Amino acid sequence: MPEERVLVLGAGTGGLVAANLLAYHGYKVTIVEKSDFHLFQPGMLWIAFKGHRPERYLRPVEDLVRPGVELVKGVVEKVDFAERKVTLGDGRSLSYDKIIVALGASLDYDAVPGHRQLFESIGDYFGGADAAAKFWSHFSKLTEGTLVVAAADPLYKCPPAPHKAAFLAADTLRRKGLLGKVKVVLALPFIHEYASETMAKIIGPKLREAGIEVKTMFTVDSIDVENKVINSLEGESIEYTLATVIPVHGGPRIEVNPPNAVDEDGYIKVNKYTLQVEGYDDAYAIGDCTNAPTSKTGVTAHLGAEVVVDRIMGFEARFTGRTNCPVVADGEAAFVISDYEHPPVPVRFSKMKRLMEDLFIAAYWSSLKYPEKWQAVFRAYFEATSPAVLGERGW
Amino acid sequence: MPEKIVVDARGMACPGPITKLVRAYRKAKKGDIIEVLATDPGFEPDVKAWAERTGNKIVELKKEGDVIKAVIEVTAK
């Protein structure tokens, strides 16, 4: 049995996969989490725009850690890589042989004037299950006017999130016979209808087909909640009846020693292949909390966790930066597939891909708690759909 | 005092360079110069489209080997 004590910070996707895999391999693992519940974050879209019950996407963290993992409830206040010490908000401190930081990104509702007021009055689909339920309570009453889906910065979790929001919103409105009376405007901070031009050519026509109006190069700079107007950094304005804006993201709000282990936005600086914290061979960071130049999404957290577990076990695993971001449209889906070496390949919408996404959601809880059971399934999928294999022909 | 802001987006794939430019632009004020270095080939048409839409001025746009250098004067703020 390995004697090393591994400390995992955060029980999101990456943290749970890492902790549960390490425990399976016999490591002594402690996981620290501030919340009682784990939220399947893409579920917020379904709560906010389809009225799904929040409970469907929440599970008690204690039910998701397998025997052998010690769960500590607490807020991480300081991580000291030099002293191998973590301090919690209540003053407790924890030491480690190896550490995996998986604390996710933080959301800043104060970066854009008016944003906090908008968020507190109507919720959104980023700030938690309650916020998403609150948004649904407003969206479900919308019978006319303009729904604006926008973002305050181009860097946010799940690059197709606003597209999915617009697709799901338009679908709900269409089923109520309200699409047209309510106009859906998707305002994006990108040059094209998607960050990648290749995928923009596939997603753009789908958005038009769904009756969604797209505005590109619109980065939210201020929100006038009284007059219901959103102003962009690029100098344009949109009037809205109901609006939702993705907040500016940053690294986890913790104190880090040495201070230069994080970048100017607070993201933990890692080697993008080994996910080791720069300068420390006993420290790793995975998922949304790192500066790795890939998308902030559950897939990268999950794959990163597997790489880090392999490395702790002595294997030469490398993280490829692989993404697999699902774009869900009406009854169909596509995936944005890329890695460090390949920009997104053209992936077309199909019902089969939607089936794969729905199967993944159904398997999600099991894949967190028993990652070893799913490794062969996921590996086959990721190898068969690697951007090098799919190539310019796509999928 | 106008400032010069250098954005190094070399090695970043799409949409990295534009993301960095947008973030630099948020902090910039009228008269500032934003210099972006990028290796993503899509950056050249993207930065032209961005400058045209936002009404800022491209002072210089050139390619040195694999590196695209764009110098933008903030005129629209």
Side-chain angles (χ1 to χ4, degrees):
Chain A
M1 291 282 275
E3 284 302 309
E4 280 177 320
R5 291 167 309 140
V6 185
L7 180 59
V8 179
L9 305 183
T13 301
L16 282 171
V17 169
N20 286 326
L21 257 187
L22 285 164
Y24 168 74
H25 289 294
Y27 284 81
K28 282 184 219 151
V29 185
T30 300
I31 189 166
V32 183
E33 171 55 46
K34 65 174 192 285
S35 312
D36 290 324
F37 290 91
H38 171 103
L39 168 66
F40 175 63
Q41 294 190 42
M44 287 187 282
L45 282 157
W46 300 92
I47 300 166
F49 297 101
K50 287 275 174 177
H52 287 193
R53 302 285 309 159
E55 298 79 30
R56 188 163 163 183
Y57 302 106
L58 292 162
R59 290 288 183 283
V61 175
E62 60 187 23
D63 291 350
L64 294 172
V65 293
R66 67 199 304 160
V69 176
E70 183 197 8
L71 174 61
V72 172
K73 195 180 170 192
V75 179
V76 175
E77 201 151 81
K78 184 179 176 183
V79 179
D80 192 327
F81 294 117
E83 299 289 329
R84 291 186 174 185
K85 197 175 105 176
V86 169
T87 311
L88 305 184
D90 58 10
R92 279 179 292 173
S93 72
L94 302 162
S95 61
Y96 60 84
D97 295 317
K98 293 261 160 69
I99 188 169
I100 302 171
V101 184
L103 287 168
S106 61
L107 308 178
D108 185 359
Y109 288 98
D110 297 309
V112 161
H115 200 177
R116 180 163 293 283
Q117 198 187 344
L118 179 75
F119 173 67
E120 285 176 357
S121 58
I122 59 161
D124 72 359
Y125 63 104
F126 266 75
D130 290 345
K134 193 171 180 180
F135 186 83
W136 170 253
S137 74
H138 291 270
F139 173 56
S140 59
K141 292 189 196 91
L142 189 66
T143 53
E144 58 182 8
T146 306
L147 168 71
V148 176
V149 176
D153 189 67
L155 182 69
Y156 53 80
K157 292 188 268 191
C158 185
H163 305 76
K164 281 192 269 189
F167 277 126
L168 295 178
D171 189 41
T172 296
L173 292 167
R174 190 182 50 76
R175 293 195 316 140
K176 286 176 157 184
L178 290 172
L179 191 60
K181 284 190 194 132
V182 179
K183 184 166 77 165
V184 179
V185 177
L186 173 61
L188 299 163
F190 308 113
I191 307 289
H192 312 284
E193 294 101 323
Y194 191 77
S196 135
E197 197 180 353
T198 303
M199 284 309 291
K201 285 180 183 152
I202 295 172
I203 299 171
K206 276 279 164 198
L207 290 165
R208 287 189 283 279
E209 213 176 282
I212 295 161
E213 188 181 313
V214 182
K215 250 187 184 320
T216 55
M217 288 186 261
F218 191 100
T219 314
V220 176
D221 196 36
S222 67
I223 305 161
D224 179 345
V225 177
E226 266 69 51
N227 296 305
K228 298 198 162 195
V229 178
I230 300 180
N231 305 303
S232 82
L233 197 55
E234 291 82 359
E236 290 182 90
S237 300
I238 311 178
E239 289 182 20
Y240 65 85
T241 314
L242 188 68
T244 183
V245 176
I246 299 176
V248 171
H249 286 39
R253 292 203 184 99
I254 54 168
E255 190 188 331
V256 175
N257 186 50
N260 66 1
V262 296
D263 73 8
E264 70 272 17
D265 297 315
Y267 293 108
I268 296 165
K269 290 195 258 179
V270 292
N271 176 305
K272 68 177 185 176
Y273 298 116
T274 65
L275 300 176
Q276 257 164 339
V277 178
E278 272 184 18
Y280 294 88
D281 61 4
D282 54 2
Y284 297 87
I286 56 176
D288 299 342
C289 70
T290 80
N291 73 336
T294 183
S295 302
K296 300 206 173 296
T297 146
V299 178
T300 55
H302 190 130
L303 294 175
E306 292 194 345
V307 167
V308 166
V309 170
D310 273 352
R311 294 195 74 86
I312 288 175
M313 292 172 68
F315 296 104
E316 269 300 315
R318 275 163 71 91
F319 180 57
T320 63
R322 170 69 192 266
T323 67
N324 199 69
C325 310
V327 193
V328 173
D330 190 14
E332 296 183 319
F335 299 102
V336 183
I337 294 179
S338 68
D339 61 26
Y340 289 146
E341 314 302 327
H342 304 85
V345 294
V347 177
R348 289 162 286 276
F349 283 86
S350 79
K351 290 198 189 308
M352 278 307 284
K353 286 168 192 144
R354 175 60 188 270
L355 169 71
M356 293 170 91
E357 171 63 7
D358 290 340
L359 282 172
F360 168 72
I361 295 173
Y364 180 70
W365 307 108
S366 171
S367 78
L368 295 182
K369 190 165 186 180
Y370 308 107
E372 76 285 354
K373 292 188 184 177
W374 291 94
Q375 266 178 325
V377 175
F378 288 148
R379 194 162 296 157
Y381 172 78
F382 286 115
E383 281 177 9
T385 58
S386 118
V389 169
L390 297 178
E392 284 173 15
R393 205 161 44 95
W395 177 31
Chain B
M1 267 290 282
E3 283 174 51
K4 182 176 168 180
I5 306 154
V6 179
V7 177
D8 189 352
R10 284 175 293 183
M12 293 182 83
C14 161
I18 282 288
T19 298
K20 288 221 159 190
L21 171 58
V22 169
R23 294 179 139 204
Y25 184 61
R26 191 192 289 283
K27 291 178 192 154
K29 52 192 187 305
K30 194 175 178 123
D32 284 355
I33 298 288
I34 304 175
E35 181 179 311
V36 190
L37 300 173
T39 46
D40 174 23
F43 179 65
E44 196 175 332
D46 283 2
V47 74
K48 283 184 188 162
W50 182 86
E52 193 179 324
R53 175 74 69 89
T54 57
N56 290 288
K57 192 176 158 194
I58 297 183
V59 187
E60 191 185 342
L61 183 60
K62 66 172 179 187
K63 220 172 163 179
E64 290 165 355
D66 286 344
V67 180
I68 300 161
K69 178 176 156 187
V71 181
I72 297 145
E73 186 186 340
V74 177
T75 50
K77 272 200 162 181

